[in-house]
Amino acid sequence: MVEIGEGEVIFSREELGVTLLADIEQLGAVEVRAARGWGKAPLHVHARHAETLFVIEGELALTLEDRVHRVGPETWAFVPPEVVHAFEVTGDEEARFLVLHTPCSGFGDYVRGSAAAFDQQPPPEYAIGDPNLVVVRKTGGTEGEKLADDPERRSILLVDADELTVTEFMRGPGVRGAEPHVHHRHADAFLVMEGELTVTVGSDKLRASAGTLVVLPPDVVHGFDNDSSASALFYNLHMPASGFADYMRGRNPDFDQHDPPADGGADLATAIAVRLPG
């Protein structure tokens, strides 16, 4: 049975808290709580993976070669591979945010203190990544591509890249989501921000309340619904994207989504359910 855990605490000090939330091939993710100035480091690039920030509280400065983005609360920032960048905590208050690497590329071991194999290098003399491909989008309906917008269902595409899609979903009380299914070639994840989402994992029903991250590796049978009496707000991540945005637009009938296999699919114990420490 899948149960909601607490994550792997890397640092727990007054000025810095880092908790590893997910460490699988498709995703490495941490939650960070840090004071002003944390994270300041030389510009760098990731050759083979993307880095994504989601600010929950406070503010980050995302520095590129030619500009600085101020990333405030409830905002996603996506940096593709080969784009020169760095970030640090700014503002007067401490910041709380997620850092996601897709694919993981050794990020879990990196935060544990082993940097040897991690995909991070100094900027090359001639950078090839286009900073115009960086995506910074605030949630809540003012930015992104609206795919559905009514009192019971809101779907807003915030990030649409090869490495990752991020879709903001609101589902009203009792609204059905997706029947149990599997993805063969990509991982699926749900980050619940408000209300409660029922995530089916195999035959188990996981009640994921606000502040819960659920990650489903390839071939793990899963589905979701809002079985509660209140609306649920959550973000759905697909890693790699596998054409999910076009699937939501109705343009990708061959999307990597399949009926549960007769053998039950992948080991349900590989699913991750973790409470954000903040």
Side-chain angles (χ1 to χ4, degrees):
M1 181 175 180
V2 179
E3 297 182 352
I4 299 175
E6 299 298 327
E8 180 181 343
V9 176
I10 306 298
F11 294 105
S12 182
R13 301 194 291 261
E14 182 177 351
E15 71 281 7
L16 176 65
V18 178
T19 301
L20 182 62
L21 305 175
D23 181 14
I24 62 172
E25 178 183 348
Q26 296 79 16
L27 171 68
V30 297
E31 184 190 90
V32 178
R33 173 193 47 78
R36 180 184 177 92
W38 184 86
K40 188 172 184 177
L43 291 166
H44 61 272
V45 296
H46 307 296
R48 301 180 302 276
H49 77 277
E51 183 170 16
T52 303
L53 308 168
F54 175 57
V55 179
I56 302 171
E57 300 170 1
E59 181 185 80
L60 302 181
L62 173 61
T63 301
L64 308 176
E65 291 179 286
D66 59 349
R67 75 200 76 166
V68 176
H69 289 285
R70 299 291 176 178
V71 186
E74 300 178 351
T75 302
W76 289 86
F78 170 83
V79 182
E82 301 287 2
V83 172
V84 176
H85 68 285
F87 69 90
E88 66 176 295
V89 177
T90 56
D92 296 328
E93 304 294 330
E94 74 172 19
R96 179 174 163 238
F97 55 97
L98 304 185
V99 183
L100 284 62
H101 289 255
T102 53
C104 184
S105 301
F107 182 62
D109 286 339
Y110 175 75
V111 297
R112 294 184 183 104
S114 177
F118 182 52
D119 172 32
Q120 181 165 306
Q121 299 88 28
E125 183 177 359
Y126 299 103
I128 62 175
D130 183 357
N132 291 313
L133 297 178
V134 169
V135 175
V136 178
R137 291 223 169 97
K138 190 169 179 60
T139 65
T142 59
E143 300 179 9
E145 179 184 349
K146 289 186 179 180
L147 303 172
D149 191 11
D150 63 54
E152 288 195 337
R153 294 175 179 268
R154 184 172 77 228
S155 304
I156 302 173
L157 185 62
L158 298 171
V159 176
D160 178 12
D162 289 344
E163 298 79 12
L164 171 73
T165 58
V166 178
T167 310
E168 177 182 341
F169 284 133
M170 186 283 295
R171 293 295 183 261
V175 171
R176 303 296 89 190
E179 294 294 322
H181 59 275
V182 297
H183 307 298
H184 294 324
R185 300 181 299 277
H186 75 278
D188 198 353
F190 301 91
L191 174 61
V192 184
M193 300 306 295
E194 296 177 12
E196 182 181 86
L197 191 68
T198 299
V199 181
T200 301
V201 184
S203 60
D204 295 337
K205 299 287 186 179
L206 186 69
R207 301 179 71 88
S209 58
T212 302
L213 173 68
V214 182
V215 182
L216 296 313
D219 287 312
V220 172
V221 177
H222 65 282
F224 70 93
D225 297 296
N226 181 2
D227 291 329
S228 74
S229 59
S231 293
L233 174 68
F234 57 98
Y235 303 111
N236 183 210
L237 286 64
H238 289 256
M239 306 149 289
S242 302
F244 180 70
D246 276 346
Y247 172 74
M248 290 293 292
R249 297 179 183 114
R251 302 175 191 164
N252 187 4
D254 296 324
F255 175 61
D256 176 31
Q257 181 162 306
H258 314 274
D259 291 335
D263 64 2
D267 185 355
L268 302 183
T270 63
I272 297 167
V274 60
R275 181 82 60 191
L276 302 190

